[in-house]
Amino acid sequence: GAVVSQHPSRVICKSGTSVKIECRSLDFQATTMFWYRQFPKQSLMLMATSNEGSKATYEQGVEKDKFLINHASLTLSTLTVTSAHPEDSSFYICSARRTAYEQYFGPGTRLTVT
Amino acid sequence: RKEVEQDPGPFNVPEGATVAFNCTYSNSASQSFFWYRQDCRKEPKLLMSVYSSGNEDGRFTAQLNRASQYISLLIRDSKLSDSATYLCVVNENSGGSNYKLTFGKGTLLTVNP
C-alpha cells in the first residue's frame, strides 16, 4: 500500500513554544491531506483539510491561528502548533488522499506539552 | 446525535469465538464505508471497505444496510492478533468533489487465550 510518513513521531515541548509536524506522501502525490487529533480513548477528530497551493479548511472549533497548516508541495503538508499548552497534548495523525476514496494515514505524532 | 455511533465495548472474547460489531451513521448521503483497526498508540489501518452487497475477506465479513444506515463487522474464529480497536468510518461528501472521513469512537476487542 501507499506510504505516508510523519515526523517527528514523538515530541515533548514546554508550554508556550511552537511545534512543527511534517506529513509526507512517499510514493504518490497528494493534492489533499488531512490532519486529525486523537485524545485518549476518543475517536479521531478531523482538524483541517490541507489543499496544495491554497488555504486549509478548518473544522468548526479548530483555531486556524493556533494550528497553522502549510501544504507547499504535492508530497508535504506541515502542521504547526503555535504557543502550545498542556491541553494541546494529543496524538496528531495526518492522512493523504490518493483518490476520492483512498486515504493513507501517517504513523502519528505524540505531542506532550509540559 | 453523533455522526457515527458504535457499540461502546469493550469486548473480551476467547480465541476461536465469533464477535460482531455494529455501527450506525446519521448522514444518509454518506458515500462509502469502511472498517479500520487501530492498535494501541498506532495509526488506524484499513481493514476492509463495506459494500452494499456485503463482502467477505477471510474471517471478516462486512455488511451495509443503507435503508437502516447500519454497518456491521463479523469476525469468525478470532485470533489473539485480532485484539485491537475497530473503527467504523464513513466517507462523506464535504462539498464539490471533496470528501472527508468521519470516525466512530471505536470498539476495543480483546481476544484471550
Side-chain angles (χ1 to χ4, degrees), chain A residues 13-108:
Chain A
C13 70
K14 292 187 177 180
S15 188
T17 60
S18 294
V19 175
K20 180 187 280 190
I21 303 170
E22 293 186 349
C23 177
R24 293 180 186 273
S25 56
L26 299 183
D27 54 357
F28 66 99
Q29 292 184 330
T31 307
T32 305
M33 292 185 175
F34 302 90
W35 287 97
Y36 297 84
R37 180 168 55 181
Q38 186 177 33
F39 292 106
K41 300 189 178 182
Q42 299 295 316
S43 61
L44 273 76
M45 296 300 295
L46 180 64
M47 298 175 67
T49 302
S50 168
N51 298 298
E52 188 268 338
S54 64
K55 290 183 179 180
T57 304
Y58 290 81
E59 296 297 302
Q60 193 172 12
V62 178
E63 299 175 58
K64 62 179 182 180
D65 295 329
K66 180 170 180 64
F67 299 99
L68 301 179
I69 291 173
N70 186 291
H71 194 153
S73 78
L74 288 171
T75 58
L76 173 64
S77 175
T78 60
L79 169 69
T80 301
V81 183
T82 62
S83 187
H85 291 284
E87 58 266 30
D88 297 323
S89 299
S90 188
F91 190 43
Y92 292 84
I93 307 174
C94 74
S95 72
R97 175 188 285 162
R98 188 174 188 175
T99 69
Y101 301 102
E102 289 179 286
Q103 279 188 41
Y104 295 90
F105 287 84

Side-chain angles (χ1 to χ4, degrees), chain B residues 4-30:
Chain B
V4 179
E5 284 203 68
Q6 294 185 237
D7 290 327
F11 287 9
N12 283 278
V13 303
E15 265 187 294
T18 296
V19 60
F21 301 112
N22 301 309
C23 171
T24 57
Y25 59 96
S26 61
N27 186 350
S28 59
S30 297

Side-chain angles (χ1 to χ4, degrees), chain B residues 13-21 37 47-48 55-63 72-84 86 109 111:
Chain B
V13 303
E15 265 187 294
T18 296
V19 60
F21 301 112
R37 72 170 275 168
L47 180 65
M48 59 196 302
N55 48 301
E56 187 174 306
D57 182 2
R59 297 181 293 109
F60 300 85
T61 301
Q63 298 275 355
S72 67
L73 174 69
L74 185 76
I75 304 176
R76 290 181 301 277
D77 188 24
S78 52
K79 312 290 184 190
L80 296 177
S81 57
D82 293 334
S83 297
Y86 288 83
L109 170 67
V111 181

Side-chain angles (χ1 to χ4, degrees), chain A residues 38 43 59 97 106 110, chain B residues 38 41 43 99-100 104-105:
Chain A
Q38 186 177 33
S43 61
E59 296 297 302
R97 175 188 285 162
R110 196 159 298 279
Chain B
Q38 186 175 23
R41 304 174 79 85
E43 78 277 21
Y99 294 83
K100 67 174 186 178
K105 194 173 177 179

Side-chain angles (χ1 to χ4, degrees), chain B residues 65-113:
Chain B
N65 184 322
R66 284 188 184 268
S68 304
Q69 296 178 204
Y70 168 83
I71 308 161
S72 67
L73 174 69
L74 185 76
I75 304 176
R76 290 181 301 277
D77 188 24
S78 52
K79 312 290 184 190
L80 296 177
S81 57
D82 293 334
S83 297
T85 296
Y86 288 83
L87 303 168
C88 178
V89 184
V90 172
N91 197 10
E92 302 174 329
N93 187 290
S94 56
S97 59
N98 298 314
Y99 294 83
K100 67 174 186 178
L101 297 180
T102 300
F103 287 79
K105 194 173 177 179
T107 304
L108 176 63
L109 170 67
T110 302
V111 181
N112 301 302

